[in-house]
Amino acid sequence: MAQQIILADGYLHGTIYRQLLQLHDTNALTDVRVLPLRIYLQQLAQFEPETANLAARIKAVLEEHKEEFPIFFSMFDYPDFIRQVQSFHEDMTAYQIPLSSLPENDATQKELKQIQQYIQDLPASFDLLTELHSMNIDCSNVKYVSSAYGNYADTLYEDWLKSHNAQEYDYPVTLNLPMVSAKKALNARTELEACIQEIITRNLPLDETTVVLCNYEQQYPVWKRLCKQYGLPYVTTCGTTDSSVVLSYCNLVRFLTENSNTAAYEAVCSPWFHHPYKRELAEYIFQFYFTSKELLQPFTHCRTILSPLLNNPDTKDTYRNFNIYLDLEQKAEQARQAFTESLVYGENVYETAYNTLADSIYKNNETERQAFYDIKEYLENNPDLLHDETRTETVLSHIRSIRIAENHNTYGCLCVTDLSHKMFKRQYAYVLSLTQKNYPGFTAQSGIYEETWCAEIPQYPSKRKRHEKHMEDVSWIGQCANEITYSYPTNGFDGKAIEPTPMISELKHAEPWNFIQNDRPFRLDFRLQPKIAPVLFAPDGELSGSISSIEPWFACPFRYFLQSGLKIEENEYPQIETRIMGTVQHAIMEYLVKTYGKEYASQDISVLASLIADYFDPILPLFRRFQGLLKITRERLNEVMQEVLNYLQDMENDTEYKPAHTELRFGKNKNDISFSNGQITLHLRGIIDRLDLRNDNFRIIDYKSSAHALSVADVNKGLKLQLLTYLYTAMVLYPEKTPVGAYYFSMKPVHVSPDPCKLVRKKERYIDNTGDDAFFQEYRKSHQLQGWSFEEDPLLDFEGKHIVGLGKGGKPGKSQKPMHVREWAEDIYTTFLNNITEGNIGCTPVSQTPSTCTYCPYSAICRKQMIPTDSNIGQRNYFMKEDEGDNGNEVDE
């Protein structure tokens, strides 16, 4: 007895085998073979069309005669143009269209005909059909599954099988009329998510459920992400995805052929290369503009430029922040060595890229390994292209088109398909996005071979015939399940209304999906065991850190746990302009105050320009990518600092306080500032930018590169502890001194636009210029010191114009005076120590600081919908008000 052959697409093979095993009540089948249609026909005719790399061969032929195509020659480099030429070449073979039938009514049509003339001898996949017509074969032992190919020409194979006694395979299904319902959703994403929710909540059997995506290309990526979110397993009949081996191969070839920064960056970012410091290497290449050739040499760039500056006692403090780049270079060099050692060189760049990937992780991945074999086949079949440097983009263009198929075995799984991949009948089916645009989805010929061209060819199927065939292909969805749900979105993401397809009458009475949304916030009160918390945060009973490392706990304890407990740190490399502006401003202020004392602000402009040049000139060679940006930054900084010093000179003329200390450091080894709760001792470290003295009084000034305001409520919540801690530190270091104020001074450039003139309406109309005084008053007001004023001191600010809330004669207006600064600071930091000792790491971000979650680097691993809290430590009342209200720089929230 002849073996029975069943022809079907690959995604149906498992289902057919399982059905036959159940039908024959057996565990093995020896007389049945299931094959893809074209594989069987190729084996039958012992003929396989040599269509490998046909696009590249077409392009090569056309390039030889490009002088003959003045209209189209410039399009030969476009892959889409070559694909259209190849597609029509296939159609001519399938429909047996002679060259003489092609129209040539104008110059464009003549060139199109001539293009097909030059490539008519090249092979085509439908050469197999020509070979089959010359054979007399009996196919009575063959059954085939009629598929919705979406291509009119593909039906010619089925027609040949019918004419040679083959029969259509009948998959046993229940012939009852399906139960049909219709639903609608607000948009396409809601539609997909609601469908997933219904499958889960109804607990539908996945092996009896089919989902048809009518707009597969746009819907499937969203479906894929949603299924991952909900943990819903599925398989797809037609899914392909980008290949990591293809991406890596193309990036390696570009790296070996292009000496550019982009090529080097993309090569080290490729999926094939793995190293603990891969990210650092990529950042190093980007920041310092290294090219492919430079990547092959040891990295000494940062060390050469920065080592002399950091080893010099006169400059090491100025450039201390640039230590990060030395660490970056050290890690990048380790990754660079691993990268260069991974390269396996061959006779040319293509062979080198191939050899390099041959022993990579892809050899253990079946789907990626198949893409690797496809690359190898292409290289072997096109040796001439590999030695022509001008054809590199042609080679890469073809290789980029290689994609890998996702799992196509649909048996026993939730199946996701499109209109062109027919599924056997199941119990449940959801047909989504049934809009006028997507269903039935027939598209006319377009591009260079448009409908008007095809209509003039007698042998080419008419548009009507192709439409009828398409409607026959998509009609299977009406019988794809016993229970079918049709659906469509009512609106696009742009807010425009979408109309359902008129082909499905039930959609006129569609009901909204039962879409489940969880809008209820919740709180996750995580807590560590008391035995674990002290060991995690302070293994030796001591905790050392800056003020900015403590504040995250008050904003959100869970963030502090991730950052300081688990040591999960984000590798961030600050923007050049941001880092340099703040660093240089502080360095200039420190130098001027130390060198000139109270006269620092009255120095000549040339001194300022020289200081800025002394800072920028040594590091200009460091950032090759940002030369232009650094030059602009230097000019902008010069203008900003002139503005700042003009204001400070006016301020110094209005006070008797003199700078006594700049960059006053405190830490465990020098000027120790510590707090303890009996189990953990906290050692704070930091730098007080400036401390001014007059007799037994002092004030603190903290320079800021951006605008800063101070709120008592924020300090009470632990969100802004800097000035409070500086006050506490100064009181500890100078117990004999009395604090009169602590302030932020913003060095951010201020843009003031007062009215330059006014119109005075009297008997005679004239213009009265206001002069420079009004402008400077507005400018001075915007630059005032923001912070706290504690004691009345007429010598602090003579006119009361440079400190917010300070009246003439140094009298605080509606000020708030601290009764116990020491107790206030000790209370806040002891509360912090008690909480981490008890293991309080609750996910409770403070509601008054939305940026706590918006800009949190750990938001990807945190529950974002939660009940916000007003404070993680409660409210304190260490400020006693003399008068009700605020003085303009303090806000009680």
Side-chain angles (χ1 to χ4, degrees):
M1 181 178 178
Q3 186 181 45
Q4 183 180 8
I5 305 295
I6 299 177
L7 307 179
D9 286 343
Y11 64 90
L12 296 174
H13 290 185
T15 303
I16 293 174
Y17 275 124
R18 295 284 181 174
Q19 186 271 328
L20 292 176
L21 288 172
Q22 294 174 0
L23 185 64
H24 294 89
D25 192 20
T26 181
N27 294 325
L29 293 173
T30 58
D31 58 346
V32 177
R33 189 181 182 193
V34 183
L35 293 171
L37 174 63
R38 295 203 185 190
I39 296 297
Y40 167 74
L41 295 178
Q42 289 175 8
Q43 294 177 355
L44 188 66
Q46 296 183 353
F47 176 83
E48 182 177 356
E50 299 178 0
T51 56
N53 313 318
L54 180 58
R57 297 166 72 178
I58 290 175
K59 185 177 187 302
V61 171
L62 296 181
E63 286 283 353
E64 295 176 359
H65 304 277
K66 63 180 181 180
E67 295 82 6
E68 302 178 30
F69 302 100
I71 298 177
F72 290 108
F73 82 92
S74 61
M75 302 178 67
F76 290 170
D77 291 329
Y78 292 94
D80 187 61
F81 176 84
I82 300 299
R83 280 193 290 269
Q84 291 185 54
V85 171
Q86 178 181 351
S87 177
F88 195 79
H89 172 66
E90 297 274 0
D91 288 347
M92 289 186 65
T93 306
Y95 303 131
Q96 299 182 354
I97 301 174
L99 192 65
S100 58
S101 295
L102 300 185
E104 46 182 343
N105 300 322
D106 52 37
T108 300
Q109 292 185 350
K110 289 179 180 179
E111 285 197 13
L112 291 176
K113 181 177 181 178
Q114 194 171 6
I115 287 173
Q116 293 299 327
Q117 180 179 356
Y118 281 125
I119 66 172
Q120 64 179 338
D121 294 332
L122 293 178
S125 60
F126 285 100
D127 288 338
L128 173 61
L129 188 62
T130 304
E131 187 72 18
L132 290 171
H133 280 303
S134 66
M135 303 176 64
N136 185 16
I137 301 175
D138 182 22
C139 297
S140 55
N141 65 326
V142 176
K143 292 185 178 181
Y144 65 91
V145 177
S146 181
S147 300
Y149 292 107
N151 189 328
Y152 187 88
D154 284 339
T155 62
L156 299 176
Y157 286 118
E158 292 185 6
D159 291 340
W160 183 89
L161 286 171
K162 291 178 184 178
S163 65
H164 288 73
N165 303 320
Q167 298 179 357
E168 188 170 352
Y169 178 77
D170 294 325
Y171 187 80
V173 295
T174 305
L175 298 179
N176 298 334
L177 290 176
M179 296 176 56
V180 177
S181 61
K183 295 187 177 182
K184 57 186 177 181
L186 180 63
N187 54 53
R189 190 188 189 284
T190 302
E191 179 187 35
L192 292 171
E193 189 167 2
C195 176
I196 292 173
Q197 289 178 356
E198 180 164 310
I199 292 173
I200 295 174
T201 54
R202 291 183 62 187
N203 196 23
L204 299 182
L206 300 185
D207 59 341
E208 286 295 333
T209 306
T210 298
V211 176
V212 184
L213 305 180
C214 296
N215 188 4
Y216 189 90
E217 290 186 359
Q218 294 186 16
Q219 289 178 287
Y220 181 69
V222 181
W223 173 272
K224 189 175 182 178
R225 290 194 296 271
L226 289 173
C227 284
K228 184 177 181 180
Q229 175 183 336
Y230 281 88
L232 182 66
Y234 71 94
V235 295
T236 175
T237 64
C238 49
T240 61
T241 185
D242 294 329
S243 166
S244 295
V245 71
V246 168
L247 175 63
S248 297
Y249 184 87
C250 292
N251 286 344
L252 275 174
V253 171
R254 288 195 60 203
F255 168 76
L256 296 167
T257 55
E258 297 180 19
N259 185 35
S260 68
N261 175 256
T262 301
Y265 181 83
E266 292 180 348
V268 301
C269 291
S270 298
W272 73 275
F273 178 61
H274 290 269
H275 192 272
Y277 297 139
K278 173 178 178 177
R279 180 175 178 179
E280 282 76 7
L281 175 58
E283 185 66 29
Y284 187 88
I285 293 171
F286 174 80
Q287 286 259 14
F288 303 118
Y289 205 71
F290 272 68
T291 62
S292 301
K293 289 183 179 179
E294 291 173 315
L295 181 56
L296 301 177
Q297 304 299 323
F299 290 155
T300 60
H301 179 69
C302 293
R303 188 165 64 252
T304 301
I305 297 172
L306 294 177
S307 292
L309 300 173
L310 295 172
N311 292 330
N312 187 339
D314 296 332
T315 58
K316 65 178 182 179
D317 287 339
T318 303
Y319 296 99
R320 62 180 179 269
N321 289 335
F322 285 87
N323 274 301
I324 185 176
Y325 293 116
L326 290 179
D327 180 62
L328 175 64
E329 183 176 77
Q330 183 180 3
K331 294 177 179 179
E333 172 60 17
Q334 296 181 36
R336 186 204 66 81
Q337 293 178 12
F339 179 86
T340 55
E341 291 171 0
S342 301
L343 299 176
V344 182
Y345 288 92
E347 294 184 0
N348 53 54
V349 295
Y350 305 104
E351 187 176 337
T352 298
Y354 180 86
N355 294 340
T356 300
L357 297 178
D359 293 326
S360 67
I361 58 173
Y362 304 123
K363 63 182 180 182
N364 298 322
N365 186 310
E366 182 179 352
T367 54
E368 292 287 1
R369 189 166 61 246
Q370 182 58 51
F372 196 58
Y373 291 151
D374 291 341
I375 294 175
K376 180 181 179 182
E377 180 184 9
Y378 176 79
L379 298 177
E380 291 175 346
N381 292 334
N382 294 274
D384 295 338
L385 291 176
L386 307 185
H387 299 283
D388 188 349
E389 296 181 358
T390 63
R391 299 291 183 88
T392 301
E393 193 54 41
T394 300
V395 174
L396 295 182
S397 175
H398 178 84
I399 293 178
R400 289 192 195 100
S401 66
I402 298 175
R403 296 176 62 83
I404 57 176
E406 297 186 16
N407 182 13
H408 285 348
N409 184 10
T410 58
Y411 178 78
C413 303
L414 171 66
C415 179
V416 179
T417 186
D418 64 359
L419 293 175
S420 63
H421 290 75
K422 181 169 67 175
M423 280 291 298
F424 290 131
K425 190 170 184 177
R426 288 186 168 189
Q427 184 65 29
Y428 306 95
Y430 294 89
V431 187
L432 308 180
S433 198
L434 280 163
T435 65
Q436 292 185 6
K437 179 180 179 180
N438 299 331
Y439 186 87
F442 173 76
T443 56
Q445 287 287 98
S446 59
I448 57 175
Y449 300 99
E450 57 185 356
E451 282 293 342
T452 54
W453 159 276
C454 297
E456 298 185 44
I457 304 173
Q459 296 85 356
Y460 203 90
S462 67
K463 185 176 180 181
R464 179 177 179 178
K465 288 184 178 180
R466 283 180 279 124
H467 181 265
E468 291 174 351
K469 175 60 173 63
H470 180 82
M471 293 303 300
E472 181 183 345
D473 289 343
V474 300
S475 63
W476 67 274
I477 69 166
Q479 295 291 330
C480 65
N482 292 328
E483 182 181 319
I484 304 176
T485 301
Y486 297 124
S487 172
Y488 75 99
T490 60
N491 295 274
F493 291 109
D494 56 358
K496 295 182 179 179
I498 298 177
E499 295 297 327
T501 177
M503 303 289 182
I504 309 295
S505 58
E506 288 82 358
L507 293 176
K508 296 180 180 179
H509 310 289
E511 298 180 355
W513 280 93
N514 183 24
F515 182 52
I516 304 171
Q517 298 185 76
N518 182 16
D519 296 328
R520 297 179 61 187
F522 57 92
R523 174 174 288 156
L524 300 174
D525 292 323
F526 300 120
R527 187 174 292 274
L528 297 174
Q529 295 182 6
K531 294 182 179 180
I532 297 177
V535 177
L536 180 66
F537 295 110
D540 55 357
E542 293 190 347
L543 178 62
S544 178
S546 63
I547 302 169
S548 59
S549 69
I550 305 300
E551 288 175 339
W553 184 89
F554 294 96
C556 178
F558 189 67
R559 173 178 177 174
Y560 180 82
F561 162 69
L562 296 174
Q563 183 174 354
S564 300
L566 299 183
K567 309 297 183 184
I568 301 176
E569 297 183 358
E570 185 180 30
N571 293 327
E572 292 186 353
Y573 303 98
Q575 294 294 325
I576 298 299
E577 183 181 11
T578 303
R579 172 174 289 275
I580 287 180
M581 285 288 284
T583 301
V584 178
Q585 285 177 323
H586 279 73
I588 290 174
M589 292 302 301
E590 179 184 6
Y591 175 83
L592 289 175
V593 173
K594 281 185 176 180
T595 305
Y596 302 104
K598 191 173 176 61
E599 304 301 321
Y600 69 93
S602 60
Q603 300 306 307
D604 190 82
I605 295 177
S606 60
V607 175
L608 178 61
S610 177
L611 288 174
I612 295 176
D614 289 344
Y615 183 90
F616 273 87
D617 289 346
I619 63 171
L620 274 175
L622 184 66
F623 303 104
R624 296 184 293 183
R625 176 187 293 276
F626 303 106
Q627 293 290 303
L629 175 61
L630 286 175
K631 291 177 181 178
I632 294 173
T633 301
R634 180 168 60 181
E635 296 174 1
R636 179 168 173 261
L637 183 61
N638 188 42
E639 296 176 358
V640 170
M641 290 306 298
Q642 288 183 38
E643 175 185 310
V644 167
L645 292 177
N646 287 337
Y647 176 83
L648 289 175
Q649 182 177 3
D650 188 69
M651 184 190 76
E652 296 295 348
N653 293 335
D654 219 25
T655 181
E656 284 196 4
Y657 279 76
K658 298 179 181 180
H661 298 282
T662 61
E663 301 292 311
L664 178 61
R665 297 175 180 271
F666 59 91
K668 182 177 180 181
N669 298 325
K670 182 179 180 181
N671 299 330
D672 183 36
I673 302 298
S674 59
F675 303 88
S676 177
N677 68 342
Q679 291 181 273
I680 299 178
T681 300
L682 170 64
H683 299 278
L684 286 177
R685 64 174 184 267
I687 302 174
I688 301 176
D689 289 338
R690 175 172 160 181
L691 188 144
D692 295 355
L693 294 177
R694 190 192 72 82
N695 297 334
D696 293 333
N697 295 338
F698 73 84
R699 71 175 178 185
I700 291 172
I701 296 178
D702 187 43
Y703 303 130
K704 293 297 180 184
S705 301
S706 58
H708 272 64
L710 191 60
S711 164
V712 173
D714 285 344
V715 178
N716 277 330
K717 295 171 187 175
L719 302 178
K720 291 185 178 180
L721 299 177
Q722 203 166 25
L723 282 184
L724 174 66
T725 307
Y726 290 167
L727 272 172
Y728 177 88
T729 301
M731 293 173 68
V732 171
L733 298 180
Y734 303 97
E736 72 283 0
K737 304 292 183 182
T738 302
V740 297
Y743 309 103
Y744 290 126
F745 174 67
S746 174
M747 293 187 285
K748 180 180 179 181
V750 178
H751 302 284
V752 180
S753 301
D755 294 335
C757 59
K758 62 182 179 180
L759 181 63
V760 180
R761 296 183 178 275
K762 291 186 177 180
K763 193 171 184 179
E764 295 182 356
R765 302 176 67 182
Y766 65 97
I767 299 296
D768 179 27
N769 294 324
T770 61
D772 294 334
D773 290 341
F775 173 83
F776 191 74
Q777 289 174 9
E778 189 70 21
Y779 160 78
R780 182 168 53 188
K781 182 179 179 180
S782 62
H783 250 313
Q784 288 179 313
L785 275 64
Q786 298 269 354
W788 295 323
S789 297
F790 303 134
E791 300 290 340
E792 181 176 343
D793 187 350
L795 301 180
L796 180 62
D797 189 9
F798 301 157
E799 300 296 328
K801 296 179 180 179
H802 299 91
I803 301 175
V804 174
L806 197 65
K808 190 173 182 179
K811 182 179 180 180
K814 298 177 180 179
S815 78
Q816 296 173 316
K817 295 187 177 182
M819 301 299 294
H820 306 285
V821 170
R822 288 175 180 263
E823 290 84 348
W824 194 14
E826 289 172 356
D827 187 11
I828 289 179
Y829 283 111
T830 303
T831 300
F832 161 73
L833 291 175
N834 290 339
N835 274 275
I836 65 169
T837 301
E838 296 169 2
N840 179 10
I841 56 168
C843 190
T844 54
V846 178
S847 58
Q848 277 79 2
T849 56
S851 61
T852 300
C853 293
T854 304
Y855 302 105
C856 178
Y858 309 102
S859 59
I861 56 175
C862 173
R863 299 294 185 92
K864 297 181 181 179
Q865 289 188 350
M866 59 197 73
I867 302 174
T869 181
D870 290 335
S871 175
N872 285 308
I873 59 176
Q875 296 291 333
R876 291 170 172 76
N877 194 26
Y878 283 101
F879 263 93
M880 301 298 294
K881 296 185 179 181
E882 289 185 347
D883 300 299
E884 293 298 326
D886 291 317
N887 63 359
N889 66 328
E890 299 168 300
V891 180
D892 281 330
E893 299 175 348

